Amino acid sequence: MTSHLTPRLAQLAASGLLPQLAHIRRGIEKEALRVTAGGVLAKTAHPPALGAALTHPYITTDYSESLLEFITPAGEQVDETLGFLEKLHRYTASQLDGEYLWPASMPCALQGNDSIPIAEYGSSRLGRMKHIYRRGLDVRYGRIMQSIAGIHYNFSLPDSFCQGYRRLLGSQDSLVEFRSAQYFALMRNFRRYGWLLLYLFGASPALSQSFMAGRPHRLAKLGKDTLYLPHATSLRMSGLGYQNDAQATLNISTNSLAEYSRDLDWALNTPHPRYSRIGVEVDGECRQLNDNILQLENEYYSDIRPKRVTRADETPLQAMAAQGVEYIEVRNLDINPFLPLGIDETQVRFLDTFLLFCLLQDSPSITAEEQQRLRRNQIRVAENGRNVGLLLETTAGEISLLEWSNRLFANLTEIAQLLDKAGQGHVRAVTHFSALLRHPELTPSARVLKHLQGKDYHSAMLMQSARLTEQWRRSPLDSHQYRYHRRLAIDSLTEQARLETV
């Protein structure tokens, strides 16, 4: 696992490239359900005071009208990124009338599939397309699955680092080609080692029994309302989360941008028999955008994705084909209900360290056989990660999660020391989370289960929801910040109205 890592780190240390790592850019997308004071999913429309979900740059909705999504700009300063996310929470909380922000990934108690309102985006062509796409998700996966919330972490390296690293490796590729290839190398290793993030940050070992809605499962009962697995870390990332029969057959390659685009393009243009039977337009009503395996690129559920900011006239695949990968999006992070924002600076520093490790570590191509092995490892950790002695699969046979984690942390410490020469807080973050290997009771998933003792999931998370939302309300924005966010909301409403007249 470490064959070329240490020499490569020595090369970097001697190259003069370390200062460029201070310019890593990251952004955060965080989802949160709006719920009533009684803990029921809010049925109200997206509050006008938050602007238009279609056109607001920082506050929108995900699947449901009740599922808010906060988006920070990409930036180099961790404190500024988290500070912006905090201000979005504070402004939103001040505009919610009798509603709270749900603090966890798994949803509140639900009253069946149709109780979850699909997001509305107005009458423009783009707005209608976004709504119909979500109707398609309903008939394909059901609305309950779409009520899950999470945190997406966007990470990009500065071009100045990529240019120097290309010279260091002696690559003859163009910068665009080299950068894309390196991001795909990062993603392959993320697939290999991403189970570690489920162990450290998974925070969904339990859920309301309403989430299962009569479906068969292997979960145990915990109190009146709660289902759980005793050693689970992230049921959100288990077989209970984002899944369906069509996507289960997909094998989207991360071996190169060309292979990734080929496989995704095939899924975007290949009809699926069940979706064809559902129909695209029935009795004058659009049920889905099309009957292909994927309606749009974003329908592909993955723990990590290559990304590029797109123009209005191009798809993500077209943008990456023209200009390469711009950043990667980490998608396997649960919301930590004990943190006000669901994520904090220490976790961000660790994520940067982990992602740089994935970039610098050797990253051979992933075969179909390895892909299946990696998926099995993810499920094992998601459903049983805190089980002492849990074994994971490798090419050389099985190894305990603890032994493998200790090996990874030795590498991560080296990376963190490198990063601390360009910044600060990375060694501290790695040291902090290394304690969770010796003390699984300190993991967020274990803390959630401890918090549920004597309470059911619904009431425990509702109390946390009320506490955190009231905390935001007791810390209002100053007048300048409030006017800024109010102006963003008004401008977004104006822009949506303009689009509806075109």
Side-chain angles (χ1 to χ4, degrees), residues 17 28 49 59 103 113 121 203 212 226 242 246 266 335 364 376 415 418 457:
L17 285 175
I28 297 172
I59 303 176
N113 187 76
Y121 297 98
M212 299 312 299
T226 306
Y242 292 106
W266 175 84
I335 298 168
R376 290 193 295 270
I415 300 289
L418 198 72
Y457 177 80

Side-chain angles (χ1 to χ4, degrees), residues 341-361:
L341 297 174
I343 188 172
D344 64 6
E345 180 187 353
T346 306
Q347 185 174 348
V348 168
R349 299 293 184 190
F350 184 90
L351 288 170
D352 287 348
T353 304
F354 181 80
L355 292 171
L356 193 62
F357 162 72
C358 290
L359 175 81
L360 299 177
Q361 171 67 11

Side-chain angles (χ1 to χ4, degrees), residues 26 75-83 344-345 348-349 352:
R26 75 277 292 167
E76 297 179 5
Q77 303 302 317
V78 175
D79 58 344
E80 291 180 4
T81 298
L82 291 172
D344 64 6
E345 180 187 353
V348 168
R349 299 293 184 190
D352 287 348

Side-chain angles (χ1 to χ4, degrees), residues 82-154:
L82 291 172
F84 193 92
L85 184 61
E86 179 185 344
K87 291 180 178 64
L88 292 178
H89 280 72
R90 288 162 62 187
Y91 176 77
T92 298
S94 72
Q95 304 303 311
L96 297 182
D97 184 11
E99 295 176 354
Y100 299 141
L101 297 175
W102 191 252
S105 282
M106 302 310 289
C108 58
L110 303 170
Q111 288 77 47
N113 187 76
D114 294 344
S115 70
I116 301 167
I118 298 175
E120 298 281 355
Y121 297 98
S123 60
S124 68
R125 180 179 179 277
L126 176 61
R128 287 293 300 156
M129 185 193 77
K130 288 171 72 73
H131 178 75
I132 293 168
Y133 167 64
R134 284 157 175 76
R135 295 186 67 176
L137 297 179
D138 178 19
V139 298
R140 293 169 177 226
Y141 310 92
R143 302 185 193 182
I144 287 177
M145 191 185 84
Q146 304 296 325
S147 67
I148 298 173
I151 289 176
H152 298 167
Y153 186 71
N154 300 321

Side-chain angles (χ1 to χ4, degrees), residues 102-397:
W102 191 252
S105 282
M106 302 310 289
C108 58
L110 303 170
Q111 288 77 47
N113 187 76
D114 294 344
S115 70
I116 301 167
I118 298 175
E120 298 281 355
Y121 297 98
S123 60
S124 68
R125 180 179 179 277
L126 176 61
R128 287 293 300 156
M129 185 193 77
K130 288 171 72 73
H131 178 75
I132 293 168
Y133 167 64
R134 284 157 175 76
R135 295 186 67 176
L137 297 179
D138 178 19
V139 298
R140 293 169 177 226
Y141 310 92
R143 302 185 193 182
I144 287 177
M145 191 185 84
Q146 304 296 325
S147 67
I148 298 173
I151 289 176
H152 298 167
Y153 186 71
N154 300 321
F155 173 92
S156 66
L157 292 160
D159 280 351
S160 56
F161 175 83
C162 292
Q163 289 167 344
Y165 192 48
R166 179 180 57 150
R167 291 192 298 269
L168 194 68
L169 297 186
S171 172
Q172 299 302 308
D173 290 342
S174 70
L175 180 60
V176 168
E177 293 169 334
F178 178 80
R179 185 178 57 217
S180 293
Q182 292 304 306
Y183 279 133
F184 271 90
L186 184 160
M187 289 192 295
R188 290 193 296 275
N189 277 336
F190 187 92
R191 291 273 171 84
R192 292 180 171 108
Y193 311 121
W195 54 262
L196 181 63
L197 302 186
L198 301 187
Y199 176 84
L200 297 175
F201 305 132
S204 55
L207 46 83
S208 168
Q209 65 178 1
S210 64
F211 181 82
M212 299 312 299
R215 291 182 291 153
H217 60 80
R218 298 179 292 104
L219 303 178
K221 198 81 179 285
L222 183 68
K224 181 181 178 181
D225 170 69
T226 306
L227 299 174
Y228 82 119
L229 287 176
H231 300 111
T233 61
S234 178
L235 294 179
R236 168 178 169 264
M237 294 300 297
S238 73
L240 299 176
Y242 292 106
Q243 61 167 338
N244 85 334
D245 57 347
Q247 291 222 21
T249 63
L250 287 179
N251 186 17
I252 306 295
S253 174
T254 52
N255 291 334
S256 68
L257 175 56
E259 290 186 25
Y260 177 86
S261 300
R262 175 202 66 198
D263 293 345
L264 204 54
D265 186 69
W266 175 84
L268 288 164
N269 292 283
T270 301
H272 188 274
R274 186 167 73 83
Y275 303 159
S276 297
R277 290 193 295 271
I278 291 170
V280 175
E281 185 172 338
V282 179
D283 297 330
E285 178 182 75
C286 288
R287 294 185 174 180
Q288 51 189 337
L289 291 176
N290 53 60
D291 61 354
N292 297 325
I293 295 172
L294 300 177
Q295 301 172 89
L296 298 172
E297 285 99 321
N298 284 345
E299 190 175 340
Y300 172 50
Y301 299 125
S302 175
D303 54 358
I304 190 167
R305 286 180 185 162
K307 300 281 283 190
R308 178 160 208 99
V309 175
T310 61
R311 301 190 308 263
D313 61 344
E314 63 184 354
T315 68
L317 283 183
Q318 290 170 338
M320 286 192 290
Q323 301 179 73
V325 180
E326 183 177 5
Y327 64 97
I328 58 97
E329 178 188 44
V330 173
R331 299 169 53 82
N332 69 345
L333 302 175
D334 286 353
I335 298 168
N336 187 331
F338 304 111
L339 296 176
L341 297 174
I343 188 172
D344 64 6
E345 180 187 353
T346 306
Q347 185 174 348
V348 168
R349 299 293 184 190
F350 184 90
L351 288 170
D352 287 348
T353 304
F354 181 80
L355 292 171
L356 193 62
F357 162 72
C358 290
L359 175 81
L360 299 177
Q361 171 67 11
D362 292 348
S363 185
S365 297
I366 293 178
T367 64
E369 179 184 6
E370 184 182 11
Q371 183 95 326
Q372 294 305 310
R373 183 169 68 247
L374 300 181
R375 175 60 178 164
R376 290 193 295 270
N377 281 344
Q378 175 179 301
I379 295 298
R380 287 187 188 186
V381 178
E383 296 183 353
N384 205 29
R386 283 179 292 103
N387 189 2
V388 176
L390 176 68
L391 298 176
L392 300 179
E393 299 179 48
T394 73
T395 54

Side-chain angles (χ1 to χ4, degrees), residues 34-77:
R34 288 187 294 112
V35 300
T36 69
V40 177
L41 193 67
K43 305 300 192 298
T44 51
H46 184 67
L50 301 184
L54 180 68
T55 51
H56 196 295
Y58 308 124
I59 303 176
T60 182
T61 52
D62 192 77
Y63 174 79
S64 173
E65 192 77 351
S66 308
L67 183 53
L68 290 171
E69 182 174 4
F70 303 116
I71 303 169
T72 74
E76 297 179 5
Q77 303 302 317

